[in-house]
Amino acid sequence: MLSLFLTHLQGYKKDAVKAPILIILEVICELLLPLVMAEIVDVAIPAGDAGYIFKLGAMMLVLAAVSMFCGVMAAKYAAFASQGFGGNLRQCLFDKVQEFSFADIDRFSSASLITRMTNDVNAMTMMLAMGLRMLVRAPVMLIVALVICFRLSARLALVLVVIIPLMVAAIAVLMRICTRLFEVMQKKIDGLNNTLQENLVAIRVVKAFVRENHERGKFKKANDELMEAGLNVGMRIVAIMPIMMLAMNGAVVSVLYLGGRMVMGATFDLGSLQAFISYITQILMSVMMVAMSLLQLSRAQACAHRINEVLTTRPSVEDKETAVRSDLPAPRGEVEFRDVSFKYVATGTGDDVLSHISFTVQPGQFVAIVGGTGTGKSSLVNLIPRFYDATGGCVLVDGVDVRDYPLEELRGRIGMVLQNNVLFTGTIRENLLWGKPDATEEEIVQAAKDAQAYDFIMSFPDGFDTVLDQGGTNVSGGQKQRLCIARAMLRKPAILILDDSTSAVDSATEAAIRQSFAKNLKDTTVIIIAQRISSVQYADEILILDDDHIAGQGTHEELLASNQIYQEIYQSQQEGVGE
């Protein structure tokens, strides 16, 4: 955890140093006040020296003012340092997540990553703010006040020798218990966030199927689990306060009893006894502050472990050291699968999703992939841009293993429209520019026309400046698909992959989009996943996936004549049309 603090305090280290220094000055001023008061009670008042009394009173006012100023400034610098640290750490976590492959995100889950970047970072930010103040103030107060107490009366100070070890032992036991419970609580926060995120993303489905009560039950279960985890921690934390107060009050009573007898026996001054009680109260309050800070520290440790888990994870897909090559071939669009096998290692059952897949797509070909649900069609195309890495064999683009490409170069050659069409908050123009940030207005318009999106875009009052809601919820499913296709076409990629991305488009519009591929992307290799025979029958080659392997390969006419699976798909759709 200390390494996290030191690493991510860049730009705020001076603030992190100023805060403890000011806290030490504040503590020194506070510790001088009882001594000045004792001087007034034991010396100035018995002597009847009003001038000396006013002089010492003025000194107390100055000490109080300096103490207040140092405390305020220390709080300011501690806030700057802690919030700056939190900002740096969140940025570092976000940057790290951007390097993750799909497999890495599957492993952590998006809800857990959100919790780590918000709740966990906030816990560490609070710990740093508290550490720069309380964890400096309390030990300095404890040590200096303890020294002064022994100087005032070693006999009375022995009370602390008994009380403080008992308090420290109670704190140590509680910390050991709470650290484990805090880890459980953070995992329950992950679970709650996951339930909430799933519900909000799929809220339309929930309402369409009238499943609000079911979702309420799921949320209540996750919420109750978090509440129980919080109570488990809270009930143990509250136990520390009665223990501390009992120890503190017992120590004060003991000092009053022993000190009172010493005053009555004229072996100890009344002012010194008053100062001693002030110091012992400050000492025991310091122990209590340390206890509360250490409990916060135990939570911060649990959070730091979870944050480090992300920061130290090596992405499963990353550039090789030899990947930066100057001799890469020019983009042509050739794709070859050479005895490729694949399984989902992090979240799967361990069985191969794809097994010994081999085929070649020539530059400029239009290739279609069909097959039943769960046969690995999306998994197959996800291997081309290295969203996942093949667990066996190799995938080649333009004759080079995709693992030997720099990721940026590889993905720069590929345009992809995923099965789940994603649009971002912003204008239509801003979303299209994801395909090519420096595209001209003419290129944007042409891409929209090629994707058959231009007419509906211009039907909006603001045209390309129409603002899309988060996820593109203010456009229809078919419009969203066409915008995503336009975004990919704007890139003019060597390889264009469409993962079932015309399912919400009518057949006439789909045919027009296909014609635009032939006209404006004639040199681009197009790989399309589709369920409708009408979408794939004009492909140069059709691949049929079935139970993790290629069960057929050829043109529409060849497969219709010889492949039983393709015949069944064709017949089922023809029957649907006939009915």
Side-chain angles (χ1 to χ4, degrees), residues 154-327:
R155 181 182 173 189
L156 287 179
L158 291 175
V159 173
L160 298 172
V161 175
V162 176
I163 295 296
I164 291 177
L166 293 177
M167 296 174 74
V168 170
I171 294 168
V173 171
L174 199 59
M175 270 195 67
R176 187 172 183 181
I177 295 171
C178 287
T179 299
R180 177 175 51 83
L181 294 177
F182 275 128
E183 290 179 355
V184 173
M185 190 174 79
Q186 294 305 118
K187 290 179 181 177
K188 297 301 181 184
I189 294 174
D190 287 347
L192 182 72
N193 283 347
N194 186 55
T195 301
L196 179 61
Q197 182 189 39
E198 186 178 58
N199 176 269
L200 294 177
V201 169
I203 191 65
R204 288 168 177 76
V205 178
V206 173
K207 292 188 176 298
F209 285 87
V210 198
R211 296 286 284 175
E212 290 90 346
N213 288 335
H214 173 75
E215 289 298 304
R216 288 190 187 102
K218 280 174 59 180
F219 184 83
K220 184 178 186 305
K221 180 182 177 183
N223 195 29
D224 287 347
E225 288 177 354
L226 176 58
M227 180 185 68
E228 289 173 8
L231 283 174
N232 282 338
V233 177
M235 292 304 292
R236 285 157 179 80
I237 290 176
V238 296
I240 197 170
M241 191 56 69
I243 295 172
M244 295 297 164
M245 292 304 297
L246 178 64
M248 187 172 74
N249 291 330
V252 171
V253 169
S254 300
V255 168
L256 283 172
Y257 175 74
L258 296 173
R261 295 189 62 179
M262 291 169 66
V263 170
M264 292 176 63
T267 59
F268 201 48
D269 294 329
L270 180 61
S272 296
L273 177 60
Q274 185 180 0
F276 194 96
I277 292 172
S278 295
Y279 286 126
I280 198 172
T281 303
Q282 289 176 330
I283 289 169
L284 296 175
M285 287 298 294
S286 297
V287 174
M288 291 177 64
M289 283 193 293
V290 169
M292 299 309 295
S293 298
L294 291 178
L295 286 174
Q296 181 64 34
L297 179 65
S298 66
R299 181 179 185 183
Q301 282 180 323
C303 294
H305 173 73
R306 286 159 49 84
I307 290 170
N308 265 323
E309 208 175 8
V310 175
L311 293 177
T312 57
T313 294
R314 184 172 180 178
S316 59
V317 173
E318 60 181 345
D319 287 337
K320 288 184 178 180
E321 292 182 4
T322 58
V324 180
R325 294 172 46 174
S326 58
D327 59 340

Side-chain angles (χ1 to χ4, degrees), residues 491-506:
R491 176 174 281 192
K492 292 285 194 297
I495 302 167
L496 178 62
I497 300 172
L498 305 174
D499 187 356
D500 200 17
S501 44
T502 55
S503 57
V505 174
D506 62 84

Side-chain angles (χ1 to χ4, degrees), residues 36-47 268-273 275:
V36 177
M37 177 60 73
E39 182 72 9
I40 292 174
V41 172
D42 292 337
V43 178
I45 292 177
F268 201 48
D269 294 329
L270 180 61
S272 296
L273 177 60

Side-chain angles (χ1 to χ4, degrees), residues 40 64-65 72 107-108 121 149 244 263 315 357 433 439 469 508 564:
I40 292 174
V72 170
R107 171 190 159 196
F108 284 104
V121 171
C149 283
M244 295 297 164
V263 170
I357 302 290
L433 287 174
D469 294 340
Q564 183 178 355

Side-chain angles (χ1 to χ4, degrees), residues 249-429:
N249 291 330
V252 171
V253 169
S254 300
V255 168
L256 283 172
Y257 175 74
L258 296 173
R261 295 189 62 179
M262 291 169 66
V263 170
M264 292 176 63
T267 59
F268 201 48
D269 294 329
L270 180 61
S272 296
L273 177 60
Q274 185 180 0
F276 194 96
I277 292 172
S278 295
Y279 286 126
I280 198 172
T281 303
Q282 289 176 330
I283 289 169
L284 296 175
M285 287 298 294
S286 297
V287 174
M288 291 177 64
M289 283 193 293
V290 169
M292 299 309 295
S293 298
L294 291 178
L295 286 174
Q296 181 64 34
L297 179 65
S298 66
R299 181 179 185 183
Q301 282 180 323
C303 294
H305 173 73
R306 286 159 49 84
I307 290 170
N308 265 323
E309 208 175 8
V310 175
L311 293 177
T312 57
T313 294
R314 184 172 180 178
S316 59
V317 173
E318 60 181 345
D319 287 337
K320 288 184 178 180
E321 292 182 4
T322 58
V324 180
R325 294 172 46 174
S326 58
D327 59 340
L328 289 172
R332 294 184 297 115
E334 182 186 37
V335 177
E336 181 184 355
F337 278 64
R338 190 177 293 171
D339 195 32
V340 170
S341 297
F342 173 71
K343 67 177 72 174
Y344 289 100
V345 178
T347 58
T349 61
D351 297 330
D352 281 342
V353 177
L354 301 170
S355 180
H356 303 291
I357 302 290
S358 295
F359 66 91
T360 300
V361 180
Q362 298 299 330
Q365 270 193 318
F366 177 23
V367 174
I369 302 172
V370 297
T373 302
T375 54
K377 301 184 298 295
S378 295
S379 300
L380 185 144
V381 295
N382 282 335
L383 299 179
I384 301 173
R386 284 193 75 197
F387 292 152
Y388 297 92
D389 268 340
T391 51
C394 61
V395 180
L396 296 91
V397 169
D398 295 327
V400 177
D401 192 323
V402 292
R403 288 168 290 199
D404 292 329
Y405 276 94
L407 284 172
E408 188 173 348
E409 168 67 26
L410 173 66
R411 292 171 183 171
R413 298 179 179 219
I414 300 169
M416 192 158 189
V417 184
L418 298 170
Q419 193 171 26
N420 182 21
N421 299 287
V422 176
L423 295 171
F424 296 88
T425 304
T427 65
I428 290 176
R429 177 180 281 101

